[in-house]
Amino acid sequence: MIDDDIYTYDEATGEWASAAEMPATPETSMVVRDAVGNVLADGDQVTVIKDLTVKGAGQILKRGTVIKSIRLTGDAQEIDCRYDGIKGLVLRAEFVKKR
């Protein structure tokens, strides 16, 4: 339930509006697609489709590596994920395929 006492500033119109009147934000209506066009969602498992050099980690993610439990970011081209030994791994959606 949305509280009518909460107001949000809409930068597009330059006006204050109640939360109930605000349209969906781009983050909630954004569709993230993998390399072959499958829609990705939070918690999906993906497979890396080419060898990727991870900057700052000194590792290479080999083709076929499975990444479990991805999280979508505010960008339609990036996904946040975890992999053993690499903290803060962000991959481009064009380099993964949904399992």
Side-chain angles (χ1 to χ4, degrees):
M1 183 171 142
I2 297 176
D3 188 9
D4 289 334
D5 294 337
I6 299 174
Y7 285 86
T8 307
Y9 182 72
D10 184 10
E11 292 180 8
T13 62
E15 298 177 356
W16 287 92
S18 70
E21 296 173 352
M22 290 297 293
T25 61
E27 291 84 20
T28 59
S29 61
M30 174 182 55
V31 176
V32 179
R33 296 189 181 270
D34 67 0
V36 293
N38 297 323
V39 177
L40 296 174
D42 285 340
D44 283 346
Q45 290 185 2
V46 295
T47 304
V48 177
I49 61 169
K50 69 179 260 182
D51 291 349
L52 299 173
T53 303
V54 181
K55 293 180 182 177
Q59 291 185 2
I60 296 176
L61 288 178
K62 297 287 186 179
R63 187 179 80 198
T65 301
V66 176
I67 305 291
K68 298 179 182 178
S69 188
I70 66 167
R71 289 177 306 281
L72 302 180
T73 63
D75 187 353
Q77 295 298 319
E78 294 179 347
I79 56 172
D80 187 28
C81 48
R82 290 186 182 180
Y83 187 72
D84 295 334
I86 304 173
K87 290 185 179 182
L89 181 62
V90 177
L91 296 175
R92 303 255 322 155
E94 64 189 273
F95 298 123
V96 298
K97 183 175 75 170
K98 187 175 182 177
R99 286 186 55 112

